[in-house]
């Protein structure tokens, strides 16, 4: 009533609020457009700390494929009716479904990027636009990018392979298991200092430089387990870099 516009999100729990319930949620929120500008549909995140809590599970690959198909069908309907796709599935659903991310234009204004909607496509697109500037980069350094399960495959396919095959750089991108929260937590932004430090020790002799994801530190340079970046670097006893969302910049810095 006061003219406030909103961007909204539904956290989907298998067997709880999907099926006919997500259809109703989408329809109810879409009826409030344009005050409700967008809707993000994201999968529930489950930690290992779930004793005596409601039984929940993560989505299977097949369920993720069905959900992506359904949302993409609804997007076409909204685009025809409202001139906008209105709703988007999280990048995680595309990863779990083993589907290629949509083109950048299909994310329109990227209003939900902070909720993990289109972040992967934005990173890939920016890398493809700027990678020609890496032609002169040359080094014998051995560099390891650390990341979570959700992003390791597409980072290797779009960035790691290019760096190795086209630039002859010794760059590996590997997944760090999230022991702190549990293996069902797969995004890089929820990796902790302790888990990554343990990964550094296991790979200590194989690499000269270790790159941590840019989204796992807060504004005070603290990881989620309260380890400081300074403590991490002191204990790592190797060169440590904070990655940048501009991957070409990170590669340039890592292979100086």
């Amino acid at each position: 009533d006061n003219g406030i516009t909103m961007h909204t999100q539904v956290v989907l729990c298998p067997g709880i609020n999907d099926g006919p319930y997500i259809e109703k949620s989408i329809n109810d929120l879409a009826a409030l457009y344009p005050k409700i500008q967008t809707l993000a549909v994201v999968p529930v995140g489950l930690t290992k700390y779930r004793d005596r809590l409601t039984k929940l599970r993560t989505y299977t690959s097949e369920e993720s494929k069905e959900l992506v198909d359904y949302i993409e069908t609804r997007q076409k309907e909204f685009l025809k009716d409202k001139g906008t796709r209105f709703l988007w599935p999280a990048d995680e659903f595309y990863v779990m479904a083993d589907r290629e991310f949509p083109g950048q234009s299909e994310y329109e204004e990227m209003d939900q990027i902070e909720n993990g909607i289109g972040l992967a496509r934005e990173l890939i697109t920016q890398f493809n636009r700027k990678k020609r500037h890496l032609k002169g980069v040359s080094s014998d350094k051995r560099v390891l990018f650390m990341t979570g399960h959700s992003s390791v495959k597409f980072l290797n396919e779009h960035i790691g392979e290019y760096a190795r095959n086209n630039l002859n750089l010794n760059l590996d991108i590997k997944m760090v298991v999230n022991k702190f929260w549990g293996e069902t937590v797969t995004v890089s932004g929820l990796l902790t200092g302790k888990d990554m430090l343990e990964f550094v020790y296991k790979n200590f002799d194989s690499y000269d430089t270790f790159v941590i994801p840019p989204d796992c530190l807060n504004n005070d340079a603290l990881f989620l387990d309260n380890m400081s970046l300074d403590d991490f670097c002191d204990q790592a006893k190797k060169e440590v870099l904070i990655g940048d969302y501009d991957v070409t910049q990170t590669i340039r810095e890592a292979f100086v």
Side-chain angles (χ1 to χ4, degrees), residues 13-53:
C13 306
I16 305 291
N17 66 337
D18 51 5
Y21 300 104
I22 185 57
E23 183 175 11
K24 184 178 188 304
S25 296
I26 292 170
N27 292 339
D28 289 350
L29 290 167
L32 298 174
Y33 180 85
K35 296 307 177 188
I36 300 293
Q37 287 276 299
T38 63
L39 170 60
V41 180
V42 306
V44 63
L46 302 175
T47 73
K48 65 182 181 182
Y49 305 104
R50 295 199 49 79
D51 292 342
R52 299 187 298 279
L53 294 179

Side-chain angles (χ1 to χ4, degrees), residues 64-99:
S64 298
K65 291 175 183 176
E66 291 175 2
L67 184 75
V68 168
D69 286 341
Y70 171 69
I71 290 180
E72 289 185 344
T73 298
R74 296 303 307 270
Q75 284 180 325
K76 293 174 184 176
E77 295 172 3
F78 288 131
L79 187 62
K80 183 177 180 181
D81 182 47
K82 301 179 185 297
T84 175
R85 291 170 179 82
F86 180 69
L87 81 156
W88 287 268
D91 292 357
E92 292 168 82
F93 276 122
Y94 283 98
V95 171
M96 291 188 292
D98 197 24
R99 293 274 185 85

Side-chain angles (χ1 to χ4, degrees), residues 31-217:
L32 298 174
Y33 180 85
K35 296 307 177 188
I36 300 293
Q37 287 276 299
T38 63
L39 170 60
V41 180
V42 306
V44 63
L46 302 175
T47 73
K48 65 182 181 182
Y49 305 104
R50 295 199 49 79
D51 292 342
R52 299 187 298 279
L53 294 179
T54 301
K55 288 185 178 180
L56 294 175
R57 64 175 178 83
T58 55
Y59 276 88
T60 66
S61 176
E62 192 58 38
E63 289 170 333
S64 298
K65 291 175 183 176
E66 291 175 2
L67 184 75
V68 168
D69 286 341
Y70 171 69
I71 290 180
E72 289 185 344
T73 298
R74 296 303 307 270
Q75 284 180 325
K76 293 174 184 176
E77 295 172 3
F78 288 131
L79 187 62
K80 183 177 180 181
D81 182 47
K82 301 179 185 297
T84 175
R85 291 170 179 82
F86 180 69
L87 81 156
W88 287 268
D91 292 357
E92 292 168 82
F93 276 122
Y94 283 98
V95 171
M96 291 188 292
D98 197 24
R99 293 274 185 85
E100 191 67 33
F101 301 108
Q104 186 152 8
S105 64
E106 295 181 46
Y107 289 100
E108 298 178 15
E109 300 301 317
M110 288 281 187
D111 290 314
Q112 292 272 7
I113 195 166
E114 291 184 7
N115 284 330
I117 311 292
L119 184 61
R121 173 52 66 194
E122 171 71 9
L123 188 149
I124 294 166
T125 300
Q126 291 303 318
F127 179 76
N128 287 336
R129 286 175 179 170
K130 297 181 178 182
K131 63 186 181 184
R132 67 183 185 278
H133 300 304
L134 292 172
K135 291 296 184 182
V137 176
S138 178
S139 174
D140 293 329
K141 287 176 69 176
R142 302 166 301 167
V143 177
L144 175 64
F145 281 20
M146 297 182 286
T147 189
H149 177 269
S150 292
S151 53
V152 67
K153 182 179 179 182
F154 79 81
L155 286 177
N156 263 311
E157 289 178 350
H158 293 275
I159 295 165
E161 290 182 9
Y162 180 86
R164 292 187 291 270
N165 299 335
N166 295 72
L167 304 175
N168 295 316
L169 295 176
N170 194 339
L171 171 65
D172 287 333
I173 302 173
K174 293 185 178 181
M175 176 191 75
V176 178
V177 175
N178 198 323
K179 296 179 181 179
F180 186 91
W181 296 112
E183 294 188 23
T184 52
V185 177
T186 61
V187 295
S188 62
L190 295 178
L191 289 171
T192 60
K194 181 180 178 182
D195 284 342
M196 284 191 286
L197 192 60
E198 183 179 318
F199 198 75
V200 169
Y201 291 156
K202 287 182 178 179
N203 294 274
F204 191 85
D205 294 329
S206 300
Y207 300 96
D208 306 303
T209 301
F210 292 85
V211 180
I212 61 177
D215 53 356
C216 61
L217 289 164

